[in-house]
Coordinates of all heavy atoms in Angstrom, one line a residue:
G1 N -21.3 -29.6 44.8 CA -20.2 -30.2 45.6 C -20.7 -30.5 47.0 O -20.3 -31.6 47.6
T2 N -21.5 -29.7 47.6 CA -22.1 -30.0 48.9 C -22.9 -31.2 48.8 O -22.9 -32.1 49.7 CB -22.9 -28.8 49.4 OG1 -22.1 -27.6 49.4 CG2 -23.5 -29.0 50.7
F3 N -23.7 -31.4 47.8 CA -24.6 -32.6 47.6 C -23.7 -33.8 47.6 O -23.9 -34.8 48.3 CB -25.4 -32.5 46.3 CG -26.2 -33.7 46.1 CD1 -27.5 -33.7 46.5 CD2 -25.7 -34.8 45.5 CE1 -28.3 -34.9 46.3 CE2 -26.5 -36.0 45.3 CZ -27.8 -36.0 45.7
Y4 N -22.6 -33.8 46.7 CA -21.8 -34.9 46.6 C -20.9 -35.2 47.8 O -20.4 -36.3 47.9 CB -20.9 -34.8 45.3 CG -21.8 -35.0 44.0 CD1 -21.9 -33.9 43.1 CD2 -22.4 -36.1 43.8 CE1 -22.7 -34.0 42.0 CE2 -23.2 -36.3 42.6 CZ -23.3 -35.2 41.7 OH -24.1 -35.4 40.6
F5 N -20.8 -34.3 48.6 CA -20.0 -34.5 49.9 C -20.8 -35.5 50.8 O -20.3 -36.3 51.5 CB -19.8 -33.2 50.6 CG -19.1 -33.4 51.9 CD1 -17.7 -33.6 51.9 CD2 -19.7 -33.3 53.2 CE1 -17.0 -33.8 53.1 CE2 -19.0 -33.5 54.3 CZ -17.7 -33.7 54.3
H6 N -22.2 -35.4 50.7 CA -23.0 -36.2 51.5 C -23.6 -37.5 50.8 O -23.9 -38.5 51.4 CB -24.2 -35.4 52.1 CG -23.7 -34.3 52.9 ND1 -23.2 -34.5 54.2 CD2 -23.6 -32.9 52.7 CE1 -22.9 -33.3 54.7 NE2 -23.1 -32.3 53.8
Y7 N -23.9 -37.3 49.5 CA -24.6 -38.4 48.8 C -23.9 -38.6 47.4 O -23.3 -37.7 46.8 CB -26.1 -37.9 48.5 CG -26.8 -37.5 49.8 CD1 -27.0 -36.2 50.0 CD2 -27.2 -38.4 50.7 CE1 -27.6 -35.8 51.2 CE2 -27.8 -38.1 51.9 CZ -28.0 -36.7 52.1 OH -28.6 -36.3 53.3
T8 N -24.1 -39.9 46.9 CA -23.5 -40.2 45.6 C -24.3 -39.8 44.5 O -23.8 -39.4 43.4 CB -23.1 -41.7 45.5 OG1 -24.3 -42.4 45.7 CG2 -22.1 -42.1 46.5
D9 N -25.7 -39.9 44.7 CA -26.6 -39.5 43.6 C -28.0 -39.4 44.2 O -28.2 -39.5 45.4 CB -26.6 -40.5 42.5 CG -26.9 -42.0 42.9 OD1 -27.5 -42.1 44.0 OD2 -26.6 -42.9 42.2
T10 N -29.0 -39.1 43.4 CA -30.4 -38.9 43.9 C -30.9 -40.2 44.5 O -31.7 -40.1 45.5 CB -31.3 -38.5 42.7 OG1 -31.3 -39.5 41.7 CG2 -30.9 -37.1 42.2
Y11 N -30.5 -41.4 44.0 CA -31.0 -42.6 44.6 C -30.4 -42.8 46.0 O -31.1 -43.3 46.9 CB -30.6 -43.8 43.7 CG -31.4 -43.8 42.4 CD1 -31.0 -43.1 41.3 CD2 -32.7 -44.4 42.3 CE1 -31.7 -43.1 40.1 CE2 -33.4 -44.4 41.2 CZ -32.9 -43.7 40.1 OH -33.7 -43.7 38.9
D12 N -29.2 -42.4 46.2 CA -28.5 -42.5 47.5 C -29.2 -41.6 48.5 O -29.5 -41.9 49.6 CB -27.0 -42.2 47.4 CG -26.3 -42.3 48.7 OD1 -26.5 -43.3 49.4 OD2 -25.4 -41.4 49.0
L13 N -29.5 -40.4 48.0 CA -30.3 -39.4 48.9 C -31.6 -40.0 49.3 O -31.9 -40.0 50.5 CB -30.5 -38.1 48.1 CG -31.4 -37.1 48.8 CD1 -30.9 -36.7 50.2 CD2 -31.6 -35.9 47.9
R14 N -32.4 -40.5 48.4 CA -33.7 -41.1 48.7 C -33.5 -42.3 49.7 O -34.2 -42.4 50.6 CB -34.4 -41.6 47.4 CG -35.9 -42.0 47.8 CD -36.6 -42.7 46.6 NE -36.0 -44.0 46.4 CZ -35.8 -44.5 45.2 NH1 -36.2 -44.0 44.2 NH2 -35.3 -45.7 45.1
E15 N -32.6 -43.2 49.4 CA -32.3 -44.3 50.2 C -32.0 -43.9 51.7 O -32.5 -44.5 52.6 CB -31.2 -45.2 49.6 CG -30.9 -46.5 50.4 CD -32.0 -47.5 50.3 OE1 -32.8 -47.5 49.4 OE2 -32.1 -48.4 51.2
K16 N -31.1 -42.9 51.8 CA -30.7 -42.5 53.1 C -31.9 -41.8 53.9 O -32.0 -42.0 55.1 CB -29.5 -41.6 53.0 CG -28.2 -42.4 52.7 CD -27.0 -41.6 52.7 CE -25.8 -42.5 52.5 NZ -24.6 -41.8 52.1
I17 N -32.7 -41.1 53.1 CA -33.9 -40.5 53.7 C -34.8 -41.6 54.3 O -35.3 -41.5 55.4 CB -34.6 -39.6 52.7 CG1 -33.8 -38.3 52.4 CG2 -36.0 -39.2 53.3 CD1 -34.4 -37.5 51.2
E18 N -35.0 -42.6 53.4 CA -35.9 -43.7 53.8 C -35.3 -44.4 55.1 O -36.1 -44.8 56.0 CB -36.1 -44.7 52.7 CG -36.9 -44.2 51.6 CD -37.0 -45.1 50.4 OE1 -36.3 -46.2 50.4 OE2 -37.8 -44.8 49.4
N19 N -34.0 -44.7 55.1 CA -33.4 -45.4 56.2 C -33.5 -44.5 57.5 O -33.7 -45.1 58.5 CB -31.9 -45.7 55.9 CG -31.8 -46.8 54.8 OD1 -32.7 -47.6 54.6 ND2 -30.7 -46.9 54.2
E20 N -33.2 -43.2 57.3 CA -33.3 -42.3 58.5 C -34.8 -42.3 59.1 O -35.0 -42.4 60.3 CB -32.9 -40.9 58.2 CG -31.4 -40.8 58.0 CD -31.0 -39.4 57.4 OE1 -31.9 -38.5 57.4 OE2 -29.9 -39.3 57.0
L21 N -35.7 -42.2 58.2 CA -37.1 -42.3 58.6 C -37.5 -43.6 59.3 O -38.1 -43.6 60.3 CB -38.1 -42.0 57.5 CG -38.2 -40.5 57.0 CD1 -38.9 -40.4 55.7 CD2 -38.9 -39.7 58.1
S22 N -37.1 -44.7 58.7 CA -37.3 -46.0 59.2 C -36.7 -46.2 60.5 O -37.3 -46.8 61.5 CB -36.8 -47.1 58.2 OG -37.0 -48.4 58.7
D23 N -35.4 -45.8 60.7 CA -34.7 -45.9 62.0 C -35.4 -45.1 63.0 O -35.6 -45.5 64.2 CB -33.3 -45.5 61.8 CG -32.4 -46.4 61.0 OD1 -32.9 -47.6 60.8 OD2 -31.3 -46.0 60.6
S24 N -35.8 -43.9 62.7 CA -36.5 -43.0 63.7 C -37.9 -43.6 64.0 O -38.3 -43.6 65.2 CB -36.8 -41.6 63.1 OG -35.5 -41.0 62.9
F25 N -38.6 -44.2 63.1 CA -39.9 -44.9 63.3 C -39.7 -46.0 64.3 O -40.4 -46.2 65.2 CB -40.4 -45.3 62.0 CG -41.8 -45.8 62.0 CD1 -42.9 -45.0 62.4 CD2 -42.2 -47.1 61.5 CE1 -44.2 -45.4 62.4 CE2 -43.5 -47.5 61.5 CZ -44.5 -46.7 62.0
R26 N -38.6 -46.8 64.0 CA -38.3 -48.0 64.9 C -38.0 -47.5 66.3 O -38.5 -48.0 67.3 CB -37.1 -48.7 64.4 CG -36.7 -49.9 65.3 CD -35.6 -50.7 64.7 NE -36.1 -51.6 63.7 CZ -35.9 -51.4 62.4 NH1 -35.2 -50.4 61.9 NH2 -36.4 -52.3 61.5
E27 N -37.3 -46.4 66.4 CA -36.9 -45.8 67.7 C -38.2 -45.4 68.5 O -38.3 -45.6 69.7 CB -35.9 -44.7 67.6 CG -35.4 -44.1 68.9 CD -34.4 -43.0 68.6 OE1 -33.4 -43.2 67.8 OE2 -34.5 -42.0 69.2
V28 N -39.1 -44.7 67.8 CA -40.3 -44.2 68.4 C -41.2 -45.4 68.9 O -41.7 -45.3 70.0 CB -41.1 -43.4 67.4 CG1 -42.6 -43.2 67.8 CG2 -40.4 -42.1 67.1
L29 N -41.2 -46.5 68.2 CA -42.0 -47.7 68.5 C -41.3 -48.7 69.5 O -42.0 -49.5 70.0 CB -42.5 -48.4 67.3 CG -43.4 -47.6 66.4 CD1 -43.8 -48.4 65.2 CD2 -44.6 -46.9 67.1
S30 N -40.0 -48.6 69.6 CA -39.3 -49.6 70.3 C -39.6 -49.7 71.8 O -39.3 -50.8 72.4 CB -37.8 -49.4 70.1 OG -37.4 -48.2 70.8

């Protein structure tokens, strides 16, 4: 239930991890 509160499935989790990392990477280099 905790998982589904934040993510719809494993693909959503991976996509959000990638987006967070990419956004942080952009912020570091900006």
